[in-house]
Amino acid sequence: MISTLLQSDPDSTVEAVSNLDVVLRIGLAAILGMVVGYERKIADKPLGSRTMALIAAGAAGFALMGVEMASQVEFRQGLQLDPTRVLSYIITGVGFLGAGAILQTKRGITGMTTAASIWASAGVGAACGLGLYVIAFALFGVVFAMLWLPWLGQLKNETNGTDDD
């Protein structure tokens, strides 16, 4: 699909995404973002499920808008259309949002994991929006593992009666 978006061949076309597919892509992005945000919530961090769901769904929506714009343009010789530029603006905009979650004090820096999870949630959302489900689930798997493995390790230690702290 992405290769179709980047072609400048006048005979190539980009198909519009069906309404059902739009709903499914944005819905999946929101659900995956919500799961990422739930960990942040139980870690008592400032961002939770709703925020991460909104970030992922928003990124999916913007990615879908890029695809939709490409489907509505009639290709002509010399026309330069790059709907993937939407992705660069998602990355930049969400980077600023994540930067706001980072706090520097005399004791150190906090909020880096939250900022990274904001950025990764946007990546999951954008992949869902583009219909790149393997990338979306692979990225979600990495994010989920990075956020939840420390919790699972703590649960294991609590059930064994040990404490690593």
Side-chain angles (χ1 to χ4, degrees), residues 26-94:
I26 292 175
L28 178 62
I31 290 168
L32 295 177
M34 192 178 299
V35 172
V36 171
Y38 183 70
E39 186 280 335
R40 298 282 77 201
K41 179 183 175 191
I42 64 172
D44 202 26
K45 300 300 177 182
L47 302 179
S49 296
R50 290 188 310 168
T51 304
M52 293 298 194
L54 289 170
I55 290 168
F62 287 120
L64 277 161
M65 285 181 236
V67 171
E68 192 62 29
M69 287 186 306
S71 73
Q72 294 179 9
V73 171
E74 184 178 316
F75 286 95
R76 296 183 306 268
Q77 189 66 24
L79 175 69
Q80 291 187 348
L81 175 69
D82 186 5
T84 60
R85 287 162 112 193
V86 172
L87 294 176
S88 69
Y89 293 113
I90 292 171
I91 293 165
T92 303
V94 171

